[in-house]
Amino acid sequence: MRPGHSPAPGSCQPPALGPGESPSGRRRAQRLQPRSSTKRPRRRLPLTPGLPAARPPAACAPARGQRPLLRRKRRERPRPGWLREDGGTTRREPVGGGASRRGPAPEVLLRMHSVGICGSDVHYWQNGRIGDFIVKKPMVLGHEASGIVIKVGSSVTHLKPGDRVAIEPGAPRDFDEFCKIGRYNLSPTIFFCATPPDDGNLCRYYAHNANFCYKLPDNITFEEGALIEPLSVGIHACRRGGVTLGSKVLICGAGPIGLVCLLVAKTMGAAQVVITDLSTSRLEKAKEIGADFTIQIKKETPKDMACMVQGLLNSMPDITMECSGAEASIQTGIYATRSGGTLVLVGLGPEMVHVPIVNAAVREVDIKGIFRYCNTWPMAIAMLASKKVDIKPLVTHRFPLEKALEAFETTKKGLGVKVMLKCDPSDQNP
């Protein structure tokens, strides 16, 4: 382009520099020139009948890093709300756990059918706390439960109204590092039914995270679905202990948790299982469902109990599962477990206990704790559906929801094994 020659209309090229003119000098001169008070007239294009007015073409496209002259306004998508019992939605923290940092969790509304009473429910009812979990306001109890789906959230695809489901009561609120490694039960922000401040599901209707509701096969009853919760404790304990084919196992305590540990250990291949307890009736139940040996505790010392166990098995057990939380029972577990074996602490007792820790250390007895369970519902459902495990004999008492107080009193007195509440007035069947 020749010096002083003006560019063609619509061209993106600036005018050429004159003799002795530099780019910085031109920009400085342009800033010093006064601006014209007259506005440049806008170019209007003729309208075509039936068509909207066209925009005049830009002289040139914006350079990289510059904002375009015309920006399209972002459309806001409606965010899904939470399912209410009346069928509407509202923005709130999910009833049955959710992922608050990732948006709302999919929910289902359930008509509750069967809810078992756990020892922790009675403990909250009587004492108002378990360890650091303190009841500070009225709380709905119940976490061993099953029901039927009556409504589903818009994002739920694996369940539909009419499905019978078992409820896993613990649902992570955040996808943290524990969820990443598959141990979501250790998440500090987990929602858990009937653990302060979270309400449980001992009610007529209940909304829960759909990802933690599992469809029940036709050959599994509602009561069996509710008992998947304690059965999961047994599965998690046996996994942590490493029960396998040929294992010799000691179980301390023949309450509901001790009995499910017995059922799962035998299913996983344990060759011999010894179970101990104070109650004759519970030991009889243990013998009925598969225990090889039972020991009724009277006034024996922990070392004496360990010798009795060794005499019955002709060796020390590979794995001990302590299900009572009693100090003397924990001591028995350490003395009884073979060197290099594993002691799993299932029961929760006092915060501080005296144990022969040096005895465990010099014999390399691994002491492991468990906190609830994780990734157990699919295995439990498979066990029940294949009839590898028969958990029905654990239910000894049934009450309608209207007699919940009587049911709790029965559990408090230690009568029977598992007390079941029936929440659906039109269906009181197992």
Side-chain angles (χ1 to χ4, degrees):
M1 184 179 292
R2 296 189 303 275
H5 181 74
S6 60
S11 172
C12 293
Q13 297 293 331
L17 299 175
E21 186 179 15
S22 65
S24 60
R26 172 180 287 183
R27 289 194 296 270
R28 188 180 303 109
Q30 289 174 348
R31 287 197 301 269
L32 294 176
Q33 290 179 1
R35 293 186 177 181
S36 174
S37 58
T38 60
K39 292 185 178 180
R40 185 176 180 179
R42 294 181 62 184
R43 180 184 176 189
R44 297 185 178 275
L45 299 179
L47 295 178
T48 301
L51 295 177
R55 294 180 182 272
C60 57
R64 180 177 295 180
Q66 295 180 350
R67 294 183 177 180
L69 297 178
L70 299 174
R71 300 185 66 188
R72 181 177 296 177
K73 186 177 180 182
R74 181 181 297 175
R75 291 195 324 183
E76 293 291 338
R77 294 183 177 182
R79 297 181 179 179
W82 299 111
L83 186 66
R84 287 202 311 259
E85 293 187 6
D86 60 2
T89 58
T90 181
R91 293 187 183 276
R92 59 174 173 79
E93 188 68 14
V95 174
S100 58
R101 296 180 185 174
R102 296 181 297 150
E107 282 191 334
V108 290
L109 180 63
L110 307 171
R111 182 169 65 244
M112 302 305 296
H113 187 281
S114 298
V115 179
I117 299 178
C118 177
S120 64
D121 294 321
V122 177
H123 211 78
Y124 281 127
W125 172 47
Q126 290 294 300
N127 304 315
R129 68 180 297 166
I130 296 178
D132 295 332
F133 298 105
I134 303 172
V135 179
K136 298 181 179 179
K137 62 179 181 179
M139 181 182 75
V140 179
L141 295 171
H143 59 271
E144 304 175 3
S146 64
I148 187 167
V149 176
I150 59 173
K151 289 185 180 180
V152 300
S154 59
S155 60
V156 178
T157 58
H158 68 289
L159 294 172
K160 63 183 183 304
D163 285 344
R164 301 160 57 253
V165 296
I167 302 168
E168 182 173 358
R173 286 188 172 96
D174 299 317
F175 191 76
D176 55 19
E177 65 269 26
F178 296 105
C179 295
K180 292 178 183 178
I181 63 175
R183 302 181 71 177
Y184 55 86
N185 58 311
L186 302 180
S187 174
T189 62
I190 192 170
F191 169 93
F192 198 88
C193 293
T195 296
D198 301 326
D199 285 324
N201 45 35
L202 182 55
C203 49
R204 301 286 190 200
Y205 296 91
Y206 174 72
H208 196 67
N209 187 325
N211 292 327
F212 292 84
C213 293
Y214 300 82
K215 188 175 178 179
L216 293 174
D218 294 337
N219 64 341
I220 296 180
T221 66
F222 281 110
E223 287 187 355
E224 289 178 292
L227 291 175
I228 289 177
E229 196 278 339
L231 184 63
S232 288
V233 177
I235 293 173
H236 193 52
C238 288
R239 282 176 175 174
R240 294 277 288 161
V243 177
T244 187
L245 287 172
S247 298
K248 293 187 177 182
V249 179
L250 166 64
I251 298 175
C252 300
I257 297 301
L259 295 177
V260 294
C261 286
L262 165 62
L263 289 170
V264 176
K266 295 295 285 187
T267 304
M268 288 186 172
Q272 293 178 309
V273 178
V274 181
I275 189 164
T276 67
D277 202 277
L278 296 167
S279 169
T280 304
S281 61
R282 291 193 170 186
L283 290 176
E284 290 174 354
K285 177 65 72 173
K287 193 72 175 178
E288 176 187 331
I289 64 175
D292 296 285
F293 307 101
T294 61
I295 300 176
Q296 184 177 10
I297 302 172
K298 296 178 181 176
K299 295 183 179 180
E300 296 85 357
T301 66
K303 287 187 176 181
D304 291 339
M305 289 296 300
C307 290
M308 294 174 67
V309 171
Q310 184 175 356
L312 290 173
L313 295 175
N314 294 320
S315 66
M316 302 174 78
D318 307 296
I319 300 138
T320 298
M321 284 180 273
E322 202 297 302
C323 301
S324 70
E327 182 179 281
S329 187
I330 299 173
Q331 294 171 358
T332 297
I334 291 177
Y335 287 130
T337 307
R338 71 166 176 83
S339 298
T342 302
L343 168 63
V344 183
L345 301 179
V346 185
L348 296 178
E351 183 178 1
M352 301 294 292
V353 295
H354 293 84
V355 295
I357 197 66
V358 174
N359 182 285
V362 299
R363 296 192 303 110
E364 294 190 1
V365 174
D366 293 336
I367 300 176
K368 295 184 177 182
I370 74 162
F371 186 60
R372 297 168 181 160
Y373 32 67
C374 61
N375 305 307
T376 55
W377 256 252
M379 176 182 280
I381 291 174
M383 284 180 169
L384 294 173
S386 64
K387 303 306 177 183
K388 298 292 185 182
V389 171
D390 184 10
I391 205 169
K392 295 178 182 177
L394 298 189
V395 180
T396 55
H397 295 75
R398 296 176 178 87
F399 294 88
L401 184 58
E402 293 79 6
K403 296 185 178 180
L405 184 58
E406 184 179 346
F408 272 80
E409 291 286 356
T410 302
T411 305
K412 177 186 172 184
K413 295 174 183 177
L415 302 177
V417 178
K418 178 59 65 175
V419 177
M420 194 68 62
L421 280 159
K422 316 302 288 186
C423 300
D424 188 348
S426 62
D427 184 4
Q428 299 287 299
N429 297 315

